[in-house]
Amino acid sequence: TQGSGKSYSMVFLAQKIRRQFTGSPTFVILTDRDELNKQISDTFEACGCLSGKARQYIPSSGAKLYEMLRGNPSFIFTLIQKFNDENAAPITPDHDIIILSDEAHRSQVNLEQQVRITENGVQRHYGFAKYLHDSLPNATYVGFTGTPIDATIDVFGSVVERYTMTESVKDGITVNLVYEGRAAKVTLDEDKLEEIEA
């Protein structure tokens, strides 16, 4: 789904899980941009899922995030960038932690080591996704994306539900996009081409 449709899909999934399963899970709603974090938390608040204002469910720092994860809040809305402590001890609480990742094709799939050669030698580092998975090894991960790529499926598993552009157009949610291809006539100045080659 696209845009705020993903926010509502997250709300519906969280509410369905709460109704159908016992226990008191913590839902960590994860994205990689402040605007998306605010949009999603506002959607949860508008749907009546939060007791109080959305901002109390948004940790102000990585340290506050880890503190909240050790508790059992109903919801945490955070950026993946706050999972940046490579030395953080794994958090394995008695309750379930369910990660709902927005834009799951972007920063949530960088689990592999990155190597960069600089003036000071070889630098090795991992992406935030590795620190997320190391911090919450027993969590359940659900990815939401409008752009599924192979890496998304590698991290989150097979596609559970798909809402295609064709279905969205048919439902009247998306305006039909039409592309009319045409060949561009390109001519080359042979003298300039020889000059460039030389």
Side-chain angles (χ1 to χ4, degrees):
T1 57
Q2 298 290 328
S4 62
K6 283 188 281 185
S7 300
Y8 288 110
S9 296
M10 290 178 175
V11 167
F12 297 146
L13 178 61
Q15 293 298 74
K16 185 168 186 166
I17 289 171
R18 286 201 180 283
R19 279 195 310 269
Q20 291 192 346
F21 297 96
T22 59
S24 181
T26 294
F27 289 92
V28 178
I29 292 76
L30 188 68
T31 190
D32 59 0
R33 291 193 352 244
D34 280 326
E35 314 84 67
L36 291 174
N37 200 32
K38 180 167 178 11
Q39 175 191 341
I40 295 169
S41 60
D42 286 351
T43 300
F44 272 75
E45 184 176 355
C47 291
C49 298
L50 309 179
S51 56
K53 293 290 181 191
R55 67 180 153 284
Q56 77 188 51
Y57 297 91
I58 300 173
S60 56
S61 66
K64 180 65 175 169
L65 168 63
Y66 286 100
E67 178 187 321
M68 289 173 75
L69 286 167
R70 287 184 188 91
N72 188 10
S74 300
F75 296 97
I76 299 173
F77 299 89
T78 191
L79 303 176
I80 193 167
Q81 291 89 331
K82 289 186 180 164
F83 287 95
N84 58 14
D85 186 352
E86 62 186 76
N87 300 313
I91 299 169
T92 55
D94 293 337
H95 63 279
D96 291 321
I97 294 183
I98 302 169
I99 310 291
L100 303 180
S101 291
D102 187 26
E103 302 298 344
H105 64 283
R106 288 200 302 231
S107 53
Q108 283 84 351
V109 297
N110 53 359
L111 298 171
E112 303 299 319
Q113 185 181 61
Q114 307 293 316
V115 177
R116 205 170 60 200
I117 299 172
T118 67
E119 297 171 355
N120 301 326
V122 177
Q123 290 183 339
R124 291 176 169 79
H125 71 282
Y126 290 93
F128 299 117
K130 180 182 184 317
Y131 302 134
L132 164 67
H133 285 262
D134 287 352
S135 296
L136 301 169
N138 299 333
T140 299
Y141 293 85
V142 180
F144 292 80
T145 180
T147 317
I149 58 175
D150 289 343
T152 311
I153 293 166
D154 291 344
V155 171
F156 291 95
S158 60
V159 175
V160 174
E161 179 63 33
R162 187 172 277 147
Y163 185 65
T164 65
M165 184 67 80
T166 304
E167 291 170 304
S168 182
V169 170
K170 187 176 175 183
D171 291 342
I173 295 169
T174 303
V175 175
N176 191 22
L177 301 176
V178 179
Y179 172 74
E180 190 175 307
R182 57 192 163 143
K185 294 180 182 178
V186 178
T187 58
L188 295 174
D189 181 334
E190 291 297 325
D191 293 334
K192 285 287 182 192
L193 187 58
E194 286 176 21
E195 184 182 327
I196 291 168
E197 287 291 328

